[in-house]
């Protein structure tokens, strides 16, 4: 599960989403993989919201591990600071390239509007390189991680995902988040 890969805890999907807490994600024995190479579909993307520089290495490692061991699902990464876009772009491009053509990588700015930028196919990875869409992203996500919670950074606002009906997930300590 995600917690085993990086110290993430309590990342729970919506009731209509994929079960990220099953172990191991996507193993043949867990029954998570479709038969005969069929496409794995989920209702919405996994959102890594307001991520911080100090968390990037851990989160990229989680995404890379899930790409190898689990089913493909869409992912949106929305960094807290836009000057981190280049670092995320480098890391996410490498993950997409290592997915043997199963994943596609793109940025929000590659699309005419926010709704068109949402990843819709399994394996798609979208780097959100614009401000002002967290309400939309949380409302469309199947599961969400609230950044700033893997290191003692003070976390980000966990009320945003709750307002969109999404139970927020984060790092190891509840003191790392603030309302």
């Amino acid at each position: 599960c995600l917690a085993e890969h990086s110290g993430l805890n309590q990342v729970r999907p919506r009731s209509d989403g994929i079960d990220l807490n099953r172990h191991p994600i996507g193993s043949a024995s867990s029954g998570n993989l479709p038969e005969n190479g069929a496409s794995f579909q989920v209702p919405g993307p996994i959102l890594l919201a307001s991520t911080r520089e100090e968390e990037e290495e851990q989160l990229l490692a989680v995404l890379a591990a899930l790409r190898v061991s689990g089913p493909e699902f869409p992912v949106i990464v929305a960094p807290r600071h836009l000057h981190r876009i280049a670092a995320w772009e480098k890391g996410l491009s490498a993950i997409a390239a290592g997915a043997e053509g199963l994943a596609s990588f793109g940025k929000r700015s590659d699309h005419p509007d926010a709704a068109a930028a949402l990843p819709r196919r399994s394996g798609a990875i979208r780097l959100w390189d614009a401000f002002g869409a967290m309400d939309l992203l949380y409302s469309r996500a199947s599961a969400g991680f609230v950044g700033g919670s893997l290191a003692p950074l003070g976390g980000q606002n966990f009320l945003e995902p709750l307002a969109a009906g999404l139970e927020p997930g984060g790092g190891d300590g509840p003191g790392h988040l603030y309302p």
Side-chain angles (χ1 to χ4, degrees):
C1 77
L2 287 175
E4 293 173 5
H5 290 292
S6 74
L8 298 176
N9 67 19
Q10 300 178 1
V11 176
R12 294 185 185 99
R14 295 178 192 273
S15 60
D16 60 345
I18 62 173
D19 184 355
L20 293 178
N21 292 311
R22 292 177 76 173
H23 178 74
I25 292 177
S27 74
S29 63
S30 72
N32 283 350
L33 292 178
E35 295 182 24
N36 302 325
S39 177
F40 183 86
Q41 298 296 318
V42 296
I46 305 304
L47 174 61
L48 303 181
S50 300
T51 61
R52 305 281 287 277
E53 180 177 0
E54 295 84 351
E55 302 169 312
E56 289 172 11
E57 188 175 319
Q58 283 180 285
L59 293 172
L60 285 167
V62 168
L63 290 174
L66 291 175
R67 290 287 180 228
V68 170
S69 67
E72 294 292 315
F73 47 83
V75 173
I76 297 174
V77 177
R80 173 75 176 105
H81 301 111
L82 292 181
H83 70 270
R84 301 304 307 157
I85 294 296
W88 273 106
E89 185 171 11
K90 181 179 177 183
L92 293 173
S93 294
I95 290 170
E100 300 177 17
L102 296 175
S104 65
F105 170 73
K107 296 189 294 186
R108 157 58 185 100
S109 58
D110 296 336
H111 302 274
D113 59 49
L118 292 170
R120 289 176 171 74
R121 72 178 198 94
S122 295
I125 302 171
R126 190 77 69 238
L127 178 59
W128 212 263
D129 59 348
F131 280 123
M134 293 312 295
D135 291 345
L136 171 70
L137 298 180
Y138 279 124
S139 71
R140 301 287 178 87
S142 289
F145 165 80
V146 178
S149 61
L150 291 178
L153 301 170
Q156 297 301 314
N157 189 342
F158 66 88
L159 294 177
E160 288 179 299
L162 288 173
L166 184 66
E167 184 178 343
D172 288 334
H176 288 197
L177 299 175
Y178 66 89

